[in-house]
Amino acid sequence: MTQQSTPSPKAKLAETLLAQVRELATELHARRSAPRTVNLDSTIDGDLGLDSLARMELLARIERRLGLSFPERVFAEAETPRDLLRAIARAVTSEPVSAREDPLSTDIHTDEDVQVPHDARTLTEALAWHARRHPQRIAIHLYGEDDRTQTLTYGKLWAEATRMAAELLSRSLQPGEAVAIMLPTCRDYFATLFGVLLAGGIAVPIYPPWRLIHLEEYFRHQRRILDNCRASMLVCFREAERVAHLLESQIDTLRTVLRAAPVTPHAKPGELPRLSADDVALLQYTSGSTGSPKGVVLTHANILANLRAMGEANAVSPDDVLVSWLPLYHDMGLIGACFGTMYFGMPLAVMSPLSVLARPLRWLRAIDRHRGTISGAPNFAYELCLRRIPDEDLHGLDLSSWRIAVNAAEPVSPDTIERFCERFGRCGFRRETMAPVFGLAEASVGLTFPPLGRAPLVDRIDREVFARSGLAVPVDETHENALRFVACGQPIPGHEVRIVDPTGRDLPDRRQGRLLFRGPSATSGYYRNVEATRRLFDGDWLVSGDLAYVAEGDVYISGRSKDIIIRAGRNIYPAEIEEAVGNLDGIRKGCVAVFGNPDPELGTERLVVMAETREEDPTAREALTAAVNETVNHLVQAPPDDIVLVPPHTVAKTSSGKVRRAASRELYLQGIDRPRRSLRWQVARLMLASVGPRLRQSRRVLVDWVYGAYVWVLTVMAALVVVPAIYLLPRLRWRRSVVRRAVRLLSLAMGTRISVEGAGRLQPSTRGCVYVANHASYIDGWVLLLALPREFSFVAKAEFTGNLFVRLLLKRIGTVFVERTDR
């Protein structure tokens, strides 16, 4: 029998390419004669009849089929399929070919048998599992500013992460030390993140200093984080180095500022520490308002439990494709997108948050291009797509592959959901795709999800009854001024939620109360914050800080308990007012803060609305104030006590864009008319503030240096007396007595106290014995001469006999030389 040879990878790639060309050419020429033959030398324009639009369609199909990404110019310049074949091999992305895997050796088939590391105990084990089984599988498509992508395979990610781990270990990173990551969305972020974990460190993501006009506030916030986590290292990018070094000057534990850069091949990884499931992987810092931010402690086991439960609830598999622009310092972007795709082995298409905020169409185009199945964002991003994407840009947009559109991280608007589903339905978006979700950092990220394939549920309830009693009484569509909440689904597998009253008793359905939860992905507390951790727990349940009710199994989040305004016995919910005021013409949407201000004279809270506007004309501002007053009065049947129109960027926000109501209240109380300091003034103040810490550091270094020099002088002076005495005195007892006295005097002069415990057990005996020190250094022998009450001999390594001076000196105090390798 003749044995058939296995086709080479290049031959397989050529056949795949030709199959896609034939399929497209046949579809385009269905109404007239299609090309009879298609081979590698067929001309794309003449023989195949593919114009520029058809070329881009071919590009999309080839990318989907191969699981790779190419520059558009490759397909625009090619004359024949053979040109495409060559171009794919040498120009897969904008990276130099020498820096990439050979694309022809890449496992390009989308029907490969990719599995999930169900037995992985740590995040690094999961990454190693994928890197070992399919190193050429693409893990990440990383978008640049020009919408061109570079790819990162599991093998490359593992190699770069292990080299970064080696770099951190070479700088003396100890297991369990915190490493702050101050990086934007970039390739270095992934290598740094997994490098920290591989080195046994604790990753602490912090957001980069983008808005320099708020530099002082940014600096104070990050300083509190770095001080709380006792960060030993900070990894930053070039533009942030000055800020990083200013932080270094004020954080005593921060000993290294390291700029992230493409890891060079000569950085060889050494032996990596062994990790356990209970090791802390991540500190996810809550945004904080006016006080200190709290670091949520998350172990490898917590994060993996959350990923597995969310995956089970949403039927996630390696066949999915996740598209994300969410910041990697936020739990949705970091755990849900980065760790989630890595664990399940599905590709991640990721881009900068700034690029999507500038052009939201990029997000939807990426879902279309990569045939994304899972993507998510806060409610404001869906609203941004509605307002910023014109109808003409929807032409050709295909969102039919999108099966889970997570809507989380801030209150979900029923209006936004309805309008998004209606408008983008023409692009293939299905109503069942929209998934309002509830989660929080204390639960790792996700806690409740709606059932797959169910359209969003909106509960319409009687506003007045709910405001006064907390009872969610349903009303029909005809009811005026109904209060609406969106269902966030049920707890993910293995997790539980409870709704309780202030005394901790369970409440029945449709009764608002505090939401408690528990499960394997729940945190053990806040890092180095005993009091906040104590408040977090109610027995073995965790307090979410949210108010909610349950109806027919679904959780409805009604607001944050600390943000609810109690006015004349009625509960007022800020999120609804903020959305309504933000919809007014002239008010910046998403830039409205509603909060209560205690009024001691009336014994209730004053309702304050702070809204950003660009209007400066007094008449226009007066009209805006009247419109805000009318809107609030219509919603809650009472006008606000104060309406404050402020310039852009005044309302305080978190790093993820959520309104910080408590911080906005503090700003309101301090006086909003305070002039904003210039950037130069802020930098000058920060540099001036760093002078004191730098002087203290310099003083410590100087004191250490002077003390070290003092010790060396004392040691040399003592040696000038002791060494001749050891050589000249005839008796061993006399020689040892000189050493003991010298050591005692040196310890007193150096301020080093030598204490001995258990000396009573070392009484002279007729029998011999062996004393073993648990740590051996060159000065231990001298200390033992002072500490031990009986005569004894030292054991020293035989290598010392090669030096005549050292050998004679040690022998004169009773040393026995042994060969260390001789058992």
Side-chain angles (χ1 to χ4, degrees):
M1 297 178 62
T2 303
Q3 185 176 5
Q4 294 183 341
S5 61
T6 304
S8 67
K10 189 170 184 178
K12 289 182 178 180
L13 181 59
E15 184 55 39
T16 300
L17 175 61
L18 288 175
Q20 293 296 312
V21 173
R22 290 190 192 100
E23 180 182 349
L24 179 60
T26 301
E27 289 178 13
L28 293 177
H29 301 295
R31 296 187 178 181
R32 57 187 178 92
S33 58
R36 293 183 179 180
T37 60
V38 177
N39 55 47
L40 289 175
D41 296 311
S42 300
T43 60
I44 294 177
D45 291 329
D47 296 335
L48 304 179
L50 302 185
D51 59 14
S52 57
L53 291 177
R55 285 171 179 256
M56 291 302 104
E57 174 61 18
L58 180 61
L59 167 65
R61 295 190 181 194
I62 292 294
E63 287 182 332
R64 290 198 295 268
R65 180 66 181 88
L66 302 186
L68 300 174
S69 181
F70 314 106
E72 289 84 348
R73 62 178 178 81
V74 168
F75 281 66
E77 297 169 358
E79 297 292 333
T80 66
R82 190 179 299 278
D83 293 335
L84 293 178
L85 187 61
R86 295 194 192 101
I88 290 170
R90 71 172 181 268
V92 176
T93 70
S94 57
E95 292 181 81
V97 173
S98 60
R100 295 185 48 78
E101 303 286 350
D102 178 6
L104 293 181
S105 66
T106 300
D107 189 357
I108 60 176
H109 298 291
T110 56
D111 57 352
E112 60 180 318
D113 183 23
V114 179
Q115 298 177 342
V116 177
H118 297 293
D119 296 330
R121 298 170 304 147
T122 65
L123 294 165
T124 51
E125 278 186 24
L127 176 58
W129 191 92
H130 285 297
R132 186 171 57 250
R133 292 206 171 205
H134 32 255
Q136 307 302 335
R137 181 174 173 83
I138 291 178
I140 299 167
H141 298 270
L142 183 64
Y143 274 74
E145 292 183 359
D146 56 358
D147 278 351
R148 297 172 67 180
T149 62
Q150 57 174 310
T151 57
L152 192 59
T153 64
Y154 281 101
K156 276 284 189 181
L157 177 57
W158 174 260
E160 293 182 9
T162 51
R163 287 196 287 265
M164 176 56 77
E167 177 71 20
L168 296 172
L169 291 171
S170 72
R171 295 172 181 262
S172 304
L173 178 68
Q174 300 300 310
E177 284 189 331
V179 179
I181 304 175
M182 184 200 288
L183 294 174
T185 299
C186 61
R187 180 171 181 152
D188 295 331
Y189 196 105
F190 301 98
T192 301
L193 172 66
F194 286 105
V196 170
L197 298 180
L198 284 168
I202 301 174
V204 183
I206 61 177
Y207 63 96
W210 292 125
R211 299 175 66 185
L212 295 181
I213 195 64
H214 297 292
L215 184 60
E216 275 192 288
E217 181 184 355
Y218 170 86
F219 188 87
R220 286 194 297 270
H221 188 74
Q222 305 311 322
R223 183 177 59 193
R224 288 196 292 262
I225 290 177
L226 296 177
D227 182 61
N228 177 256
C229 71
R230 293 182 175 174
S232 62
M233 297 184 184
L234 171 62
V235 184
C236 67
F237 57 112
R238 181 174 58 84
E239 293 81 358
E241 279 188 295
R242 290 185 64 185
V243 176
H245 284 296
L246 283 173
L247 287 167
E248 181 186 22
S249 70
Q250 299 201 23
I251 305 298
D252 291 337
T253 59
L254 190 56
R255 61 177 183 267
T256 302
V257 170
L258 176 65
R259 189 209 291 185
V263 185
T264 53
H266 68 265
K268 299 295 183 184
E271 183 177 353
L272 299 173
R274 296 177 63 87
L275 304 178
S276 74
D278 294 328
D279 287 338
V280 179
L282 176 70
L283 296 181
Q284 184 68 53
Y285 274 84
T286 58
S287 304
S289 52
T290 56
S292 298
K294 302 187 291 291
V296 178
V297 177
L298 297 176
T299 64
H300 289 269
N302 292 147
I303 296 172
L304 286 173
N306 199 247
L307 295 177
R308 287 163 177 153
M310 291 192 299
E312 181 180 345
N314 294 286
V316 176
S317 77
D319 295 328
D320 281 304
V321 177
L322 195 147
V323 178
S324 176
W325 55 270
L326 299 172
L328 292 172
Y329 49 79
H330 188 263
D331 49 11
M332 276 182 71
L334 179 62
I335 299 176
C338 176
F339 288 149
T341 52
M342 181 277 302
Y343 175 75
F344 287 102
M346 55 178 164
L348 168 65
V350 63
M351 59 195 71
S352 163
L354 297 178
S355 69
V356 172
L357 295 178
R359 299 180 185 88
L361 182 62
R362 285 180 172 176
W363 174 30
L364 304 187
R365 287 292 183 196
I367 294 173
D368 180 0
R369 176 181 181 183
H370 296 278
R371 307 314 297 153
T373 60
I374 303 173
S375 190
N379 189 85
F380 83 87
Y382 295 97
E383 188 67 38
L384 199 65
C385 291
L386 289 167
R387 292 188 291 111
R388 296 274 298 278
I389 301 177
D391 287 341
E392 55 267 26
D393 286 348
L394 300 184
H395 180 70
L397 181 66
D398 182 3
L399 302 179
S400 60
S401 64
W402 202 354
R403 71 180 187 89
I404 302 176
V406 173
N407 189 333
E410 65 180 11
V412 180
S413 166
D415 290 334
T416 301
I417 288 179
E418 180 60 33
R419 289 186 290 114
F420 189 91
C421 292
E422 181 179 351
R423 186 181 184 209
F424 290 96
R426 73 184 77 168
C427 303
F429 184 86
R430 298 177 299 278
R431 187 175 295 272
E432 296 77 16
T433 294
M434 183 63 72
V437 168
F438 172 66
L440 64 167
E442 288 80 356
S444 292
V445 59
L447 183 58
T448 67
F449 277 79
L452 282 177
R454 188 188 75 179
L457 294 182
V458 177
D459 195 26
R460 297 174 57 86
I461 61 174
D462 189 301
R463 178 188 301 273
E464 189 65 26
V465 173
F466 191 73
R468 295 197 176 277
S469 67
L471 181 62
V473 178
V475 295
D476 58 28
E477 296 285 341
T478 62
H479 192 283
E480 293 184 0
N481 200 25
L483 189 58
R484 297 177 299 162
F485 292 116
V486 179
C488 293
Q490 297 90 43
I492 55 179
H495 295 69
E496 302 172 83
V497 299
R498 291 171 62 200
I499 308 298
V500 301
D501 66 11
T503 66
R505 293 182 301 179
D506 288 314
L507 290 171
D509 277 9
R510 293 199 166 275
R511 179 71 72 171
Q512 177 184 251
R514 298 184 302 144
L515 188 148
L516 311 184
F517 70 96
R518 65 182 177 188
S521 62
T523 179
S524 60
Y526 299 114
Y527 194 68
R528 295 184 60 232
N529 196 330
V530 177
E531 181 58 29
T533 299
R534 184 189 63 78
R535 294 194 302 267
L536 176 64
F537 282 88
D538 186 346
D540 62 344
W541 293 83
L542 285 80
V543 180
S544 70
D546 294 276
L547 295 175
Y549 64 91
V550 173
E552 299 178 356
D554 278 289
V555 174
Y556 292 84
I557 305 297
S558 54
R560 295 287 293 172
S561 57
K562 64 181 181 181
D563 292 333
I564 298 297
I565 303 165
I566 304 176
R567 190 170 186 264
R570 300 174 71 252
N571 291 338
I572 296 176
Y573 301 88
E576 185 190 30
I577 299 176
E578 289 165 352
E579 181 184 3
V581 172
N583 287 327
L584 295 174
D585 290 337
I587 300 294
R588 300 186 72 219
K589 190 171 183 64
C591 300
V592 180
V594 175
F595 48 84
N597 183 34
D599 189 332
E601 293 184 6
L602 298 178
T604 186
E605 286 191 296
R606 302 174 69 246
L607 176 61
V608 180
V609 178
M610 181 188 293
E612 292 184 5
T613 180
R614 299 186 188 277
E615 284 288 354
E616 296 182 357
D617 179 69
T619 304
R621 290 173 67 89
E622 186 176 340
L624 267 181
T625 302
V628 172
N629 187 79
E630 182 181 354
T631 300
V632 176
N633 195 15
H634 174 73
L635 276 177
V636 298
Q637 280 75 55
D641 295 285
D642 196 5
I643 298 172
V644 187
L645 299 181
V646 296
H649 310 302
T650 301
V651 172
K653 290 189 175 183
T654 70
S655 58
S656 56
K658 289 188 286 189
V659 171
R660 295 168 58 196
R661 300 185 182 100
S664 298
R665 179 193 296 114
E666 289 298 315
L667 181 63
Y668 169 80
L669 294 175
Q670 293 169 8
I672 298 172
D673 294 333
R674 292 182 305 163
R676 188 183 299 280
R677 298 187 180 97
S678 68
L679 178 59
R680 287 187 177 184
W681 175 250
Q682 293 183 64
V683 172
R685 280 171 54 88
L686 291 176
M687 294 184 68
L688 185 62
S690 68
V691 170
R694 286 188 184 275
L695 288 176
R696 288 192 293 272
Q697 288 181 354
S698 300
R699 177 179 175 275
R700 284 195 296 269
V701 171
L702 180 62
V703 168
D704 290 345
W705 187 89
V706 171
Y707 178 75
Y710 169 70
V711 168
W712 273 109
V713 169
L714 287 179
T715 303
V716 170
M717 292 176 60
L720 292 175
V721 176
V722 173
V723 172
I726 290 175
Y727 279 110
L728 297 176
L729 291 174
R731 294 186 180 182
L732 177 63
R733 183 167 56 84
W734 294 353
R735 296 193 289 270
R736 290 191 169 185
S737 177
V738 169
V739 173
R740 287 192 184 98
R741 292 175 184 274
V743 172
R744 184 175 290 110
L745 289 173
L746 279 175
S747 67
L748 290 173
M750 295 176 185
T752 304
R753 180 173 175 268
I754 298 176
S755 60
V756 181
E757 296 180 4
R761 301 178 183 178
L762 304 177
Q763 296 302 321
S765 170
T766 55
R767 300 178 61 188
C769 61
V770 176
Y771 299 142
V772 180
N774 67 347
H775 176 265
S777 70
Y778 292 120
I779 67 169
D780 284 353
W782 308 99
V783 175
L784 289 172
L785 279 172
L786 177 64
L788 298 178
R790 59 176 294 180
E791 296 298 319
F792 58 90
S793 296
F794 285 110
V795 174
K797 58 185 179 181
E799 287 89 334
F800 284 135
T801 59
N803 186 305
L804 179 63
F805 176 80
V806 175
R807 183 180 77 239
L808 292 176
L809 183 66
L810 292 176
K811 286 189 67 174
R812 296 287 288 174
I813 58 173
T815 301
V816 177
F817 297 97
V818 297
E819 181 60 53
R820 290 182 294 168
T821 59
D822 185 357
R823 296 184 63 182

